[in-house]
């Protein structure tokens, strides 16, 4: 199949590359750009290991073809740390043991990051809804809820205590 040229922004950097039009965003990220933090758990839209933000919305990147992402902005797990500092929810996943093998963790973190971008004080149900498409076979979900709620509290405090609790 003939290759086509793609251009999109990934983690704030404009990337140009050639790939077959049938190649998924997941494999463009992993193979063309070397961003292997985004995982392939099922290749069929079921597990959430491959979640990235596409124009600010969480998507299963195994279900997005390159042409659908062309011209878009993509955020992967490699892009959520800032100035050498882990995002609070990344750090708190570690501190609260919200992972074991870590295979689901990049996708889980992107879903949690997206939630925190839109909701600075998520309830347990908000968090469980946000990660409903992220399957973890190791840890369970309670530590994830704890990590997200602690991250939200930290972020509210850093923003001057805004919030509704
Ligand atoms: S690898 Fe994409 S949802 Fe499982
Ligand atoms: S930590 Fe192993 S699958 Fe979630």
């Amino acid at each position: 199949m003939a290759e086509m040229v793609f251009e999109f922004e990934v983690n704030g950097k404009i990337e140009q590359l050639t790939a077959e039009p049938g190649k998924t965003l997941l494999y463009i990220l992993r193979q063309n750009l070397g961003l292997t933090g985004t995982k392939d758990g099922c290749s069929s839209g079921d597990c959430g290991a491959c979640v990235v933000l596409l124009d600010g919305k969480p998507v299963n990147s195994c279900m997005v073809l390159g042409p659908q992402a062309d011209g878009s902005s993509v955020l992967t797990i490699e892009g959520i740390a800032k100035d050498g500092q882990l995002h609070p929810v990344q750090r708190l996943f570690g501190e609260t043991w919200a992972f074991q093998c870590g295979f689901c963790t990049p996708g889980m973190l992107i879903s949690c990051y997206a939630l925190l971008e839109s909701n600075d004080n998520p309830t347990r149900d908000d968090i469980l809804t946000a990660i409903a498409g992220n399957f973890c076979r190791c840890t369970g979900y309670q530590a994830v809820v704890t990590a997200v709620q602690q991250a939200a509290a930290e972020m509210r405090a850093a923003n001057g205590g805004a919030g509704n609790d």
Side-chain angles (χ1 to χ4, degrees):
M1 190 182 294
E3 295 198 324
M4 64 178 278
V5 178
F6 297 101
E7 179 174 301
F8 44 70
E9 185 186 299
V10 181
N11 300 334
K13 181 174 167 211
I14 301 295
E15 302 280 4
Q16 277 189 329
L17 55 100
T18 57
E20 291 182 359
K23 191 166 188 172
T24 62
L25 176 60
L26 171 60
Y27 275 92
I28 289 175
L29 292 169
R30 289 181 58 84
Q31 294 179 337
N32 294 71
L33 299 175
L35 296 172
T36 55
T38 305
K39 303 302 183 200
D40 183 0
C42 69
S43 286
S44 58
D46 293 318
C47 75
C50 65
V51 172
V52 300
L53 297 193
L54 182 64
D55 290 332
K57 299 267 187 314
V59 296
N60 289 326
S61 59
C62 70
M63 302 303 288
V64 177
L65 296 178
Q68 295 172 293
D70 192 34
S72 298
S73 165
V74 179
L75 184 74
T76 73
I77 189 64
E78 289 88 351
I80 69 172
K82 288 278 176 294
D83 302 324
Q85 299 287 317
L86 294 178
H87 186 277
V89 77
Q90 265 179 308
R91 178 171 45 73
L92 281 156
F93 259 54
E95 292 177 6
T96 62
W97 292 100
F99 63 90
Q100 288 183 35
C101 80
F103 195 82
C104 69
T105 307
M108 189 81 81
L109 276 169
I110 290 288
S111 295
C112 295
Y113 174 94
L115 172 66
L116 290 166
E117 287 289 287
S118 63
N119 182 345
D120 74 352
N121 195 5
T123 64
R124 182 173 189 275
D125 282 352
D126 293 335
I127 298 165
L128 293 178
T129 298
I131 61 170
N134 296 91
F135 295 166
C136 177
R137 63 190 174 179
C138 299
T139 312
Y141 301 92
Q142 183 52 48
V144 173
V145 172
T146 301
V148 173
Q149 289 188 318
Q150 289 187 9
E154 252 188 42
M155 292 166 72
R156 288 196 306 276
N159 289 332
N164 54 11
D165 68 351

